[in-house]
Amino acid sequence: MQFSTKIFPQADLQSAKLLKPSLKTMLAQTTDCLVLGYSKADFEGFAGSKGTKAKVGVLAELDLFLGGSVSHANVLGDLDSKQASVCILRADKSWSANAVKAKRVLLLGMGDLRLTADQSLTAYSKVARAGLKALSGGSIENAIWFAPSFTLSKTSEKIAQEVRLTIQYAGDQAYRFGVRQPAMKFKAKDKADTFKHLIFAGNNACAKELKLAIEQGGAMVEGMNLAKDLGNLPPNICTPTYLGKTVQGLAKKTALKVEVLGLKQIEALGMGSFLSVAKGSETPPQFIVMRHQGGKTGEAPIVLVGKGITFDTGGISLKPGEAMDEMKYDMCGAASVIGTLYSAALMKLKKNVIGVVPTCENMPSGRATRPGDIVKSMSGQTIEILNTDAEGRLILCDALTYVERFKPKAVIDVATLTGACVIALGHVHSGVFSDDEVLVDALTKAGKDSLDTVWRLPLDAAYHEQLKSNFADVANIGGRPAGSVTAACFLSRFTEKYKWAHLDIAGTAWKSGAAKGSTGRPVPLLVNFLLAQK
Ligand code: BES
Ligand code: MN
Ligand code: ZN
């Protein structure tokens, strides 16, 4: 999928209205499809005016250029005032007589525009999704998205935000695992969508914002695609070694600095907790550090830590067999951190960001950790492992101690940590846990801006009671009540030296059932969070 902008000079402004090249200019562009938004008021000004009453608004204006095509669609009942309604007009002789070069016009109803900022982005997202769906799967290869027609009197920042979201959705829609990983399907090959090129039109007044939005949106899609690939790849291919190699590959393509530590180095660091999980597997653990140095030297970095369990059988506390294949997605935290650093590098983000990924397999074997074993974490705290299936926190706690050395501005860990989070929040929001109000607010806002949302869950002292152990400093499970909270509480014991937030993405990182596949979340959230950092 390719994204670009087409900027029309200020002289094309038809009226004093912000950011509006003339309809005539837009229709004169050679394109498979010109995409235009109209409001409920536009619809009423057109379809609602009967008899001698003059028709007004963008639809009326359009109808003149298109030789009555809009009226015709309206008579057939194809036009609607409803939000996210879709109507495709196809060129006929009257179009070319009026110097219209667009082969189609896709009209998208935006409905009533009297909305709050939050509502308007959600509304726009529905409209954009409906529009993108109409563009895909047929013979349309390219389209011009007339960005200002969706925003009316709003600002150029708003346009940029909407364009970024459109790109995010277009990338989502265009993703085909089998096209990106052709070796995985020998006979039933997937085919790429015909729709390949989305062009955003605007004028000089929003040229800068549009170009930036395209760069940022395009980079974000690349990061999401990488995160999805890593999540979807089977666990016999996407091993800790594979993740290490992938990240080293990124260092060759971008300015990312990468270090991949192996077993010996992990042992030397004293990561007894991490190693206790890796022990049961034949495949060696890896500890990945990625650096994006986009800010000033010495500027405190934002550190992202991702859970990288490439397959979670539960270990000796073996999981039931049903849908166990989905535990290949237990490295989606890692995938999102790797994807986000890749995005940051591609967009040359002007901030220092470090990504850290502890990665291993959680397998049962003669060498595997037993329930009851006590291990020593890198922090010095001992942990009684009461359930080997609560392994995510065991690999993350050592990574959280390791990152102290970076003197971070903030640390965010991302993990498919608990089934309990899926029960609490379903597949809508990721869980966010933190004592730092500023960090929670920033993550909540970044989530809303990218429609990759989070919901705060508690992290009070009272829950720590559940983690008491008679034999070690802490137990690795706190029982069934508030399972996501006690998991977060466990992690918090290793984060005292910096500002920290934890994202539980167990319900949002992938989809089950017929649409089974990685979502690429929370890459949009993390990228938006990084972009918003001062
Ligand atoms: N990776 C799982 C969490 C998970 C389960 C995510 C299902 C998505 C869907 C994690 O390692 C795990 O097994 N957690 C246990 C913790 C329990 C033993 C305290 C869980 O949630 O059951
Ligand atoms: Mn587990
Ligand atoms: Zn797990």
Side-chain angles (χ1 to χ4, degrees):
M1 190 83 198
Q2 199 192 330
F3 304 102
S4 58
T5 55
K6 200 164 180 99
I7 304 300
F8 298 90
Q10 204 77 351
D12 272 311
L13 283 183
Q14 180 206 37
S15 65
K17 230 182 198 177
L18 180 73
L19 316 166
K20 197 174 177 233
S22 73
L23 206 48
K24 191 176 172 195
T25 310
M26 294 309 308
L27 290 165
Q29 303 305 309
T30 306
T31 176
D32 286 345
C33 190
L34 173 66
V35 188
L36 294 174
Y38 67 91
S39 66
K40 187 172 176 225
D42 286 328
F43 177 82
E44 281 163 359
F46 181 73
S49 51
K50 299 257 154 51
T52 53
K53 214 168 141 211
K55 296 181 188 302
V56 292
V58 62
L59 292 176
E61 201 185 325
L62 192 63
D63 204 29
L64 294 178
F65 287 114
L66 303 185
S69 294
V70 187
S71 296
H72 189 52
N74 186 39
V75 169
L76 294 178
D78 288 356
L79 214 56
D80 207 310
S81 65
K82 277 208 288 289
Q83 192 181 85
S85 64
V86 167
C87 175
I88 294 196
L89 309 174
R90 292 176 178 83
D92 62 24
K93 287 205 183 81
S94 69
W95 290 30
S96 44
N98 288 333
V100 173
K101 294 220 183 83
K103 291 182 196 152
R104 300 171 190 81
V105 171
L106 170 57
L107 293 173
L108 297 178
M110 294 183 293
D112 197 334
L113 292 169
R114 285 165 298 179
L115 302 165
T116 65
D118 277 3
Q119 286 172 331
S120 98
L121 195 65
T122 313
Y124 176 79
S125 77
K126 286 187 190 138
V127 174
R129 258 194 217 279
L132 290 165
K133 198 170 152 210
L135 291 171
S136 107
S139 44
I140 296 172
E141 283 181 22
N142 61 71
I144 297 183
W145 194 274
F146 189 10
S149 74
F150 293 92
T151 49
L152 300 175
S153 59
K154 289 179 239 162
T155 61
S156 47
E157 283 77 43
K158 198 79 196 167
I159 293 186
Q161 189 186 33
E162 291 179 354
V163 165
R164 269 210 306 267
L165 199 67
T166 314
I167 292 173
Q168 185 181 318
Y169 283 174
D172 237 343
Q173 178 178 278
Y175 177 85
R176 303 277 186 287
F177 176 71
V179 171
R180 293 176 55 89
Q181 303 289 338
M184 290 299 130
K185 284 190 177 178
F186 184 58
K187 283 192 169 162
K189 289 258 182 249
D190 287 1
K191 268 177 79 182
D193 194 354
T194 340
F195 177 51
K196 285 194 178 62
H197 190 179
L198 186 54
I199 302 150
F200 294 90
N203 68 16
N204 279 348
C206 66
K208 238 179 87 191
E209 285 87 350
L210 265 188
K211 286 208 169 118
L212 200 61
I214 298 241
E215 277 169 31
Q216 292 170 345
M220 191 208 294
V221 167
E222 291 303 319
M224 282 176 81
N225 284 344
L226 175 60
K228 287 181 194 177
D229 278 354
L230 293 175
N232 288 331
L233 278 166
N236 59 328
I237 304 266
C238 187
T239 59
T241 314
Y242 183 92
L243 286 181
K245 291 239 164 76
T246 301
V247 164
Q248 274 156 346
L250 297 181
K252 294 210 181 84
K253 285 206 279 190
T254 65
L256 286 172
K257 298 265 180 298
V258 165
E259 256 179 295
V260 181
L261 311 184
L263 182 62
K264 288 269 146 13
Q265 290 154 298
I266 299 168
E267 279 170 352
L269 283 163
M271 295 185 168
S273 184
F274 175 25
L275 287 168
S276 76
V277 179
K279 259 174 73 183
S281 173
E282 294 293 324
T283 195
Q286 308 273 278
F287 192 85
I288 299 170
V289 182
M290 315 168 70
R291 292 161 195 259
H292 169 73
Q293 287 284 353
K296 296 186 196 80
T297 24
E299 181 190 293
I302 300 282
V303 177
L304 306 175
V305 179
K307 170 179 173 183
I309 296 291
T310 59
F311 196 75
D312 182 12
T313 64
I316 296 298
S317 314
L318 195 65
K319 284 184 181 295
E322 202 194 316
M324 205 206 268
D325 69 288
E326 295 190 6
M327 282 299 114
K328 71 174 183 178
Y329 290 114
D330 213 17
M331 36 57 70
C332 281
S336 72
V337 168
I338 295 169
T340 300
L341 267 104
Y342 184 41
S343 294
L346 288 178
M347 68 174 77
K348 302 192 168 62
L349 187 80
K350 289 197 173 63
K351 271 137 212 158
N352 294 338
V353 189
I354 299 179
V356 172
V357 168
T359 172
C360 68
E361 251 186 349
N362 186 22
M363 297 290 271
S365 86
R367 277 195 298 271
T369 291
R370 292 153 289 257
D373 282 2
I374 293 179
V375 297
K376 190 166 181 183
S377 68
M378 187 181 175
S379 73
Q381 296 178 73
T382 57
I383 303 163
E384 185 184 17
I385 300 177
L386 292 171
N387 189 321
T388 63
D389 197 12
E391 84 298 340
R393 62 198 81 179
L394 295 175
I395 73 168
L396 288 169
C397 69
D398 281 342
L400 290 168
T401 302
Y402 179 88
V403 303
E404 286 173 0
R405 68 190 57 201
F406 301 127
K407 308 219 167 9
K409 188 176 164 201
V411 178
I412 299 161
D413 79 74
V414 192
T416 48
L417 203 63
T418 63
C421 193
V422 190
I423 303 302
L425 299 176
H427 307 288
V428 178
H429 303 297
S430 304
V432 62
F433 304 77
S434 178
D435 282 337
D436 192 284
E437 305 298 321
V438 179
L439 209 46
V440 171
D441 286 351
L443 287 165
T444 305
K445 174 153 194 319
K448 282 185 179 166
D449 287 349
S450 56
L451 297 183
D452 179 4
T453 51
V454 296
W455 199 269
R456 189 181 196 176
L457 291 167
L459 191 68
D460 330 10
Y463 293 98
H464 280 271
E465 287 298 309
Q466 288 170 240
L467 293 171
K468 279 194 172 151
S469 162
N470 287 351
F471 308 109
D473 295 330
V474 63
N476 83 324
I477 53 166
R480 278 169 64 81
S484 307
V485 183
T486 51
C489 285
F490 179 92
L491 296 178
S492 76
R493 291 170 170 254
F494 301 84
T495 63
E496 254 134 42
K497 302 234 164 76
Y498 45 73
K499 290 178 181 163
W500 163 78
H502 157 62
L503 297 176
D504 195 330
I505 58 164
T508 54
W510 77 91
K511 287 185 179 144
S512 309
K516 194 192 280 182
S518 185
T519 60
R521 289 179 69 178
V523 172
L525 160 75
L526 293 172
V527 168
N528 272 268
F529 170 80
L530 292 175
L531 282 170
Q533 287 294 301
K534 285 277 137 40

